[in-house]
Amino acid sequence: MFTKLQTRYQTWQAANSDVAALPWLLGAVLLLMTVLTRGRFLGSSNIINLLSQMPELGLLSLAMMVAMITAGIDLSIISAANLSAVVMALVLTQLVPEGASSTTVWGFVVLAIITGLLTSAFLGAINGYLIGYVEVPAVLATLGTMILYEGVTLAITRGFVISGLPSQFLLLGNARILGIPIQMLIFAVVAVVIGLLLQKRPYGVYLYFVGSNPTATAFSGVNVRRVLLRTYITSGLLSGIAAIVMLARFNSANARQGSSLLLLTVLICMLGGTDPYGGFGRVSGLVLALVILQMVTSGLNLLGVNSFAAVALWGAMLVGVIIYKFVQRRRWERQGKQQLS
């Protein structure tokens, strides 16, 4: 028990030191990309593109992070987001009367958003029930539901794209407030709420406890199953919010929208200090990692780097981070055993 507690403490220290290094890494990436692109990286159009593209990846990364804190994972976030987006798109394209007034359309926009969020929460609840109550390992449960949700979406759309959404809804992905894209403001509000939830509310404490030691947490009187259920409902809701942003920005919904983002959400979480073994993760670290990764992506686009090569780069980075975390943990475990002997 002492060794486990010591390892957890050392993990906490290392995670915080990793997060503390992120601002320096951000500055280095900013300088490097500015030099390589000869100043184009700091152009207003590129900055706006950065702020426009970041929110959906950030929201999906938050969904992944809350699952990873419990020592789990949610591989279904993209499929859940796409299914929620299709549900919202059907409401907006099939139920809105032709020639409806702006007020009526706004009413259907609200209805579509509520329906989409309820759908994503339900999909998250399925994951939470399988993991918390049936006790299926998270990677297997969410892998299964990922395929299930994608299959349902394909059955609904028959592989086609649903588009032609009302202009009122498209404002959520294209409008600006004081020059800032509205989807960036949505992400900022959600990130603050999740940060407060994790740090200031009992649920957040339980979340970290479950990720650190679910057995000890259960013996302390915490309903671990309920915590896991709420966690995956939260992950589903965050996927639903990401679906709103993606649907409004792209004016389309289909079964495979954003399929390449799953790899990036795991990379962002781990780069931001979230422990894949559970128990640790901070929104501040995730946001810094998100900004760094988005800056690299934007810089590579300006340099004309092939998008397929960029995906290979993200994969290599993820493997590198995983190896780094694994080597760290093995070293701490050996140190703990040596101190006990």
Side-chain angles (χ1 to χ4, degrees):
M1 179 61 73
F2 175 77
T3 304
K4 289 183 178 180
L5 291 174
Q6 185 180 52
T7 301
R8 283 292 171 186
Y9 176 70
Q10 290 172 328
T11 303
W12 178 85
Q13 285 185 314
N16 279 273
S17 64
D18 290 344
V19 173
L22 287 177
W24 297 98
L25 180 59
L26 189 151
V29 170
L30 176 61
L31 178 61
L32 178 64
M33 290 302 171
T34 302
V35 172
L36 291 177
T37 61
R38 299 180 181 180
R40 288 182 296 154
F41 186 80
L42 296 178
S44 58
S45 60
N46 186 57
I47 298 299
I48 292 297
N49 285 335
L50 268 172
L51 296 178
S52 300
Q53 296 168 8
M54 201 180 301
E56 60 256 30
L57 181 56
L59 291 164
L60 291 168
S61 298
L62 286 172
M64 182 64 74
M65 186 188 77
V66 295
M68 289 181 68
I69 289 174
T70 65
I73 194 169
D74 191 349
L75 300 176
S76 68
I77 53 175
I78 306 297
S79 297
N82 286 334
L83 180 51
S84 300
V86 165
V87 170
M88 287 186 284
L90 288 174
V91 171
L92 293 170
T93 57
Q94 302 297 319
L95 299 184
V96 178
E98 200 169 323
S101 66
S102 178
T103 303
T104 302
V105 174
W106 274 113
F108 278 99
V109 167
V110 173
L111 175 63
I113 291 173
I114 293 173
T115 305
L117 292 178
L118 287 176
T119 299
S120 62
F122 175 71
L123 299 177
I126 294 175
N127 289 334
Y129 179 79
L130 291 174
I131 295 165
Y133 290 85
V134 184
E135 299 184 359
V136 179
V139 66
L140 296 179
T142 57
L143 177 62
T145 55
M146 175 185 74
I147 299 171
L148 170 64
Y149 300 159
E150 183 176 336
V152 172
T153 309
L154 284 169
I156 294 173
T157 62
R158 297 182 180 180
F160 294 104
V161 175
I162 302 175
S163 59
L165 306 176
S167 58
Q168 288 86 342
F169 182 81
L170 298 181
L171 289 174
L172 297 174
N174 298 279
R176 298 179 188 175
I177 298 177
L178 300 177
I180 303 174
I182 191 169
Q183 62 266 37
M184 189 63 200
L185 297 176
I186 293 172
F187 169 66
V189 171
V190 173
V192 169
V193 170
I194 295 298
L196 293 175
L197 181 68
L198 293 177
Q199 301 299 319
K200 302 296 184 182
R201 303 299 301 169
Y203 165 71
V205 176
Y206 298 156
L207 203 66
Y208 289 111
F209 283 176
V210 169
S212 297
N213 193 325
T215 303
T217 304
F219 277 117
S220 67
V222 176
N223 190 327
V224 174
R225 291 178 171 180
R226 187 179 300 170
V227 172
L228 289 172
L229 178 62
R230 291 180 62 185
T231 297
Y232 284 91
I233 290 175
T234 302
S235 181
L237 280 171
L238 290 168
S239 299
I241 298 173
I244 295 170
V245 172
M246 289 192 293
L247 182 62
R249 196 161 80 87
F250 298 123
N251 188 20
S252 65
N254 64 73
R256 294 194 170 96
Q257 189 92 283
S259 57
S260 63
L261 299 181
L262 184 62
L263 166 69
L264 295 181
T265 61
V266 177
L267 176 57
I268 288 169
C269 289
M270 295 187 65
L271 187 63
T274 303
D275 187 357
Y277 293 93
F280 302 96
R282 296 288 184 272
V283 172
S284 57
L286 181 142
V287 171
L288 286 171
L290 171 67
V291 174
I292 292 169
L293 201 64
Q294 196 64 55
M295 287 170 59
V296 172
T297 302
S298 180
L300 292 176
N301 288 337
L302 289 175
L303 292 171
V305 175
N306 187 289
S307 60
F308 298 107
V311 173
L313 174 62
W314 305 145
M317 288 179 63
L318 179 58
V319 171
V321 173
I322 290 173
I323 292 173
Y324 170 73
K325 296 286 186 182
F326 178 77
V327 171
Q328 268 191 330
R329 176 170 292 275
R330 291 297 296 272
R331 185 175 68 249
W332 299 328
E333 288 176 351
R334 286 196 299 267
Q335 290 175 351
K337 291 178 180 178
Q338 289 173 359
Q339 291 180 11
L340 283 175
S341 59

